[in-house]
Short mmCIF file of all heavy atoms in Angstrom, two decimals:
data_model
loop_
_atom_site.label_atom_id
_atom_site.label_comp_id
_atom_site.label_asym_id
_atom_site.label_seq_id
_atom_site.Cartn_x
_atom_site.Cartn_y
_atom_site.Cartn_z
N ALA A 48 102.56 318.01 111.29
CA ALA A 48 103.36 318.50 112.43
C ALA A 48 104.24 317.36 112.93
O ALA A 48 105.37 317.59 113.39
CB ALA A 48 102.43 319.00 113.54
N GLY A 49 103.73 316.14 112.84
CA GLY A 49 104.53 314.97 113.23
C GLY A 49 105.72 314.80 112.30
O GLY A 49 106.84 314.50 112.75
N HIS A 50 105.49 315.00 111.02
CA HIS A 50 106.60 314.85 110.06
C HIS A 50 107.65 315.94 110.30
O HIS A 50 108.85 315.70 110.21
CB HIS A 50 106.08 314.92 108.61
CG HIS A 50 105.15 313.79 108.27
ND1 HIS A 50 105.43 312.48 108.57
CD2 HIS A 50 103.94 313.77 107.67
CE1 HIS A 50 104.44 311.71 108.17
NE2 HIS A 50 103.52 312.47 107.62
N ARG A 51 107.17 317.13 110.62
CA ARG A 51 108.11 318.24 110.88
C ARG A 51 108.95 317.93 112.12
O ARG A 51 110.16 318.13 112.13
CB ARG A 51 107.30 319.53 111.06
CG ARG A 51 108.10 320.79 110.95
CD ARG A 51 107.20 322.01 110.76
NE ARG A 51 106.81 322.21 109.37
CZ ARG A 51 107.59 322.68 108.42
NH1 ARG A 51 108.83 323.02 108.69
NH2 ARG A 51 107.15 322.82 107.19
N ALA A 52 108.29 317.40 113.14
CA ALA A 52 109.03 317.03 114.37
C ALA A 52 110.01 315.90 114.04
O ALA A 52 111.11 315.84 114.60
CB ALA A 52 108.05 316.61 115.46
N GLY A 53 109.61 315.02 113.14
CA GLY A 53 110.48 313.92 112.73
C GLY A 53 111.76 314.41 112.08
O GLY A 53 112.82 313.79 112.21
N VAL A 54 111.69 315.54 111.40
CA VAL A 54 112.89 316.09 110.76
C VAL A 54 113.91 316.52 111.83
O VAL A 54 115.12 316.38 111.64
CB VAL A 54 112.54 317.27 109.81
CG1 VAL A 54 113.80 317.94 109.28
CG2 VAL A 54 111.67 316.79 108.66
N GLU A 55 113.40 317.02 112.96
CA GLU A 55 114.31 317.38 114.06
C GLU A 55 115.07 316.15 114.55
O GLU A 55 116.26 316.22 114.86
CB GLU A 55 113.53 318.02 115.23
CG GLU A 55 112.95 319.38 114.91
CD GLU A 55 114.00 320.34 114.34
OE1 GLU A 55 115.09 320.43 114.93
OE2 GLU A 55 113.72 320.98 113.32
N THR A 56 114.36 315.02 114.62
CA THR A 56 115.03 313.78 115.02
C THR A 56 116.08 313.40 113.98
O THR A 56 117.19 312.96 114.34
CB THR A 56 114.00 312.65 115.21
OG1 THR A 56 113.05 313.05 116.17
CG2 THR A 56 114.68 311.37 115.68
N ILE A 57 115.74 313.55 112.72
CA ILE A 57 116.73 313.23 111.67
C ILE A 57 118.00 314.03 111.90
O ILE A 57 119.11 313.49 111.88
CB ILE A 57 116.16 313.53 110.25
CG1 ILE A 57 114.97 312.62 109.94
CG2 ILE A 57 117.26 313.38 109.18
CD1 ILE A 57 114.33 312.85 108.58
N ARG A 58 117.85 315.33 112.16
CA ARG A 58 119.02 316.18 112.39
C ARG A 58 119.89 315.61 113.50
O ARG A 58 121.10 315.50 113.36
CB ARG A 58 118.58 317.59 112.83
CG ARG A 58 118.00 318.41 111.74
CD ARG A 58 118.09 319.91 112.08
NE ARG A 58 117.63 320.66 110.96
CZ ARG A 58 116.37 321.11 110.82
NH1 ARG A 58 115.48 320.90 111.77
NH2 ARG A 58 116.02 321.76 109.74
N GLU A 59 119.25 315.27 114.63
CA GLU A 59 120.01 314.78 115.79
C GLU A 59 120.69 313.45 115.48
O GLU A 59 121.86 313.25 115.83
CB GLU A 59 119.05 314.63 116.98
CG GLU A 59 119.72 314.06 118.22
CD GLU A 59 118.84 314.16 119.47
OE1 GLU A 59 117.99 315.08 119.55
OE2 GLU A 59 119.02 313.31 120.37
N ILE A 60 119.98 312.55 114.81
CA ILE A 60 120.53 311.20 114.60
C ILE A 60 121.63 311.20 113.54
O ILE A 60 122.64 310.50 113.68
CB ILE A 60 119.37 310.21 114.28
CG1 ILE A 60 118.41 310.11 115.48
CG2 ILE A 60 119.91 308.84 113.88
CD1 ILE A 60 119.05 309.81 116.83
N VAL A 61 121.47 312.00 112.51
CA VAL A 61 122.52 312.09 111.48
C VAL A 61 123.80 312.61 112.12
O VAL A 61 124.89 312.07 111.91
CB VAL A 61 122.08 313.01 110.31
CG1 VAL A 61 123.24 313.31 109.39
CG2 VAL A 61 120.93 312.37 109.54
N LYS A 62 123.64 313.65 112.90
CA LYS A 62 124.80 314.25 113.56
C LYS A 62 125.48 313.24 114.47
O LYS A 62 126.71 313.12 114.50
CB LYS A 62 124.31 315.46 114.35
CG LYS A 62 125.35 316.30 115.00
CD LYS A 62 124.68 317.60 115.40
CE LYS A 62 125.44 318.32 116.48
NZ LYS A 62 124.80 319.58 116.84
N GLU A 63 124.68 312.51 115.24
CA GLU A 63 125.24 311.55 116.19
C GLU A 63 125.96 310.42 115.46
O GLU A 63 127.05 310.01 115.87
CB GLU A 63 124.09 311.00 117.06
CG GLU A 63 124.55 310.21 118.26
CD GLU A 63 125.42 311.02 119.23
OE1 GLU A 63 125.42 312.26 119.17
OE2 GLU A 63 126.12 310.37 120.03
N CYS A 64 125.37 309.92 114.38
CA CYS A 64 126.03 308.85 113.63
C CYS A 64 127.35 309.35 113.06
O CYS A 64 128.35 308.63 113.06
CB CYS A 64 125.12 308.34 112.50
SG CYS A 64 123.80 307.31 113.12
N SER A 65 127.34 310.56 112.57
CA SER A 65 128.55 311.14 112.01
C SER A 65 129.62 311.26 113.08
O SER A 65 130.78 310.89 112.88
CB SER A 65 128.20 312.50 111.39
OG SER A 65 129.36 313.19 111.06
N LYS A 66 129.24 311.75 114.25
CA LYS A 66 130.20 311.89 115.36
C LYS A 66 130.76 310.55 115.80
O LYS A 66 131.93 310.44 116.16
CB LYS A 66 129.51 312.52 116.57
CG LYS A 66 129.29 314.01 116.48
CD LYS A 66 128.48 314.40 117.70
CE LYS A 66 128.54 315.87 118.00
NZ LYS A 66 127.94 316.13 119.32
N LEU A 67 129.89 309.54 115.82
CA LEU A 67 130.34 308.21 116.27
C LEU A 67 131.28 307.56 115.26
O LEU A 67 131.97 306.62 115.58
CB LEU A 67 129.14 307.28 116.49
CG LEU A 67 128.28 307.53 117.73
CD1 LEU A 67 127.00 306.71 117.66
CD2 LEU A 67 129.06 307.17 118.99
N GLY A 68 131.24 308.06 114.03
CA GLY A 68 132.08 307.46 113.00
C GLY A 68 131.40 306.30 112.28
O GLY A 68 132.07 305.44 111.70
N ILE A 69 130.07 306.27 112.33
CA ILE A 69 129.32 305.26 111.56
C ILE A 69 129.54 305.57 110.08
O ILE A 69 129.56 306.74 109.69
CB ILE A 69 127.80 305.33 111.91
CG1 ILE A 69 127.55 305.15 113.40
CG2 ILE A 69 126.98 304.37 111.05
CD1 ILE A 69 127.84 303.81 113.98
N LYS A 70 129.70 304.54 109.27
CA LYS A 70 130.01 304.81 107.85
C LYS A 70 128.75 305.00 107.00
O LYS A 70 128.73 305.86 106.12
CB LYS A 70 130.89 303.67 107.30
CG LYS A 70 131.45 303.91 105.92
CD LYS A 70 132.29 305.20 105.83
CE LYS A 70 132.40 305.65 104.38
NZ LYS A 70 132.82 307.01 104.20
N TYR A 71 127.71 304.20 107.26
CA TYR A 71 126.48 304.30 106.45
C TYR A 71 125.26 304.41 107.35
O TYR A 71 125.08 303.62 108.28
CB TYR A 71 126.29 303.05 105.57
CG TYR A 71 127.40 302.86 104.56
CD1 TYR A 71 128.52 302.08 104.88
CD2 TYR A 71 127.34 303.45 103.31
CE1 TYR A 71 129.55 301.91 103.96
CE2 TYR A 71 128.37 303.28 102.39
CZ TYR A 71 129.46 302.52 102.72
OH TYR A 71 130.48 302.34 101.82
#
Side-chain angles (χ1 to χ4, degrees):
H50 297 313
R51 196 165 277 285
V54 174
E55 292 308 313
T56 303
I57 295 179
R58 287 202 175 95
E59 177 169 332
I60 297 308
V61 169
K62 185 166 160 179
E63 192 60 18
C64 285
S65 169
K66 283 174 162 190
L67 286 169
I69 303 293
K70 188 57 200 163
Y71 297 92

